[in-house]
Structure formats: structure tokens, C-alpha cells
Amino acid sequence: MHGANLGTLLRTCDAVGACLAVPPFGWVDEAVARGNTLRRSSCVHRVGDPLRWLAAERAGGARVLGVELADEAVRLADLPAARRRTVMVLGHEATGIPPEALDLLDGAVEIPMIGTGTSLNVAVAGSLVLYRLAGLL
């Protein structure tokens, strides 16, 4: 289920100058290591309580964006590059962002899909949005 997605996402974070914040679950360290082929240490924040951390980031002035299907979501192509500290929230591929985290979002971005799939894996979705926020797409 977790495969190499977090390590792959960490490589994208490194490519665009971002950090990866991860929850305190037992499988996280192995998942980050599995897809990580970087030769030097990377910016990874271990977040004890993700909801409290998101609330603190938002209170500190960060924009909190979720990658989620929502009525008010901005299409990826219309998402402007980040001009201030921005936190991107990714949920589970099947269930999305947990409801208790949705209240902490300032907005949502959706990735349009033409095919029959209902979602992209977290590494692909996160990478697309990170590159867009970094102004590289």
C-alpha cells in the first residue's frame, strides 16, 4: 500500500526545494527510505500531531492547500505558483484527506483526469502539484 511513494515524493521535494512533513506512523520511515535515492540527507519533518501542526502552520501565515476533489477546487492548470509559505496536504489514494483535516485547508486543487481511474498515486499527484507551486510547470 505504501510502496515507494513517500521516498519518491521526497525526491520531488528535493528537486523543487521543498520539505516533506510526515506523520508519526510506524511504516513511514521505511516508506520514505524505500523510494529515496538521494545521496545526501533531505528535509524531512516528523510531525507528531498532523492536525495540530497544520493548524499551527496556518496560524503562522502559511497557505494550506489540499489535493482533493471538491466543488471549489482549482484545476491544476489554473493553480498559481506559491508566493508565500505553502503547505500541500495529500490524503490516501482511495479515501482522500481525512474530514478533520479538510477544515484546516485554505483551498483545494484538483488534477483533472480523462481516463477511468479515480485517483493518481500520492507520489504522482504530489509531484505534479509541487512542480506547479514551485513555478516550474
Side-chain angles (χ1 to χ4, degrees):
M1 181 167 90
H2 307 111
N5 281 331
L6 287 181
T8 300
L9 190 55
L10 178 60
R11 289 172 26 215
T12 301
C13 288
D14 180 74
V16 302
C19 294
L20 181 68
V22 295
F25 303 136
W27 53 264
V28 168
D29 286 338
E30 182 182 335
V32 168
R34 190 174 303 156
N36 181 8
T37 60
L38 297 171
R39 293 189 173 103
R40 57 185 165 79
S41 61
S42 301
C43 183
V44 178
H45 298 279
R46 307 287 194 284
V47 177
D49 180 337
L51 295 176
R52 187 178 310 157
W53 182 81
L54 279 176
E57 287 293 314
R58 191 173 185 205
R63 181 177 180 208
V64 180
L65 288 178
V67 180
E68 185 73 29
L69 294 174
D71 290 338
E72 68 282 352
V74 173
R75 288 174 43 97
L76 180 62
D78 298 327
L79 182 67
R83 298 289 179 235
R84 68 177 205 241
R85 182 178 176 90
T86 301
V87 174
M88 177 182 62
V89 179
L90 297 160
H92 189 278
E93 294 167 21
T95 58
I97 297 171
E100 59 272 17
L102 291 174
D103 292 336
L104 298 171
L105 301 180
D106 293 310
V109 57
E110 73 175 44
I111 302 170
M113 296 176 58
I114 296 171
T116 59
T118 57
S119 70
L120 297 171
N121 77 38
V122 72
V124 172
S127 294
L128 288 168
V129 177
L130 279 171
Y131 266 85
R132 188 73 184 176
L133 287 171
L136 300 172
L137 284 182

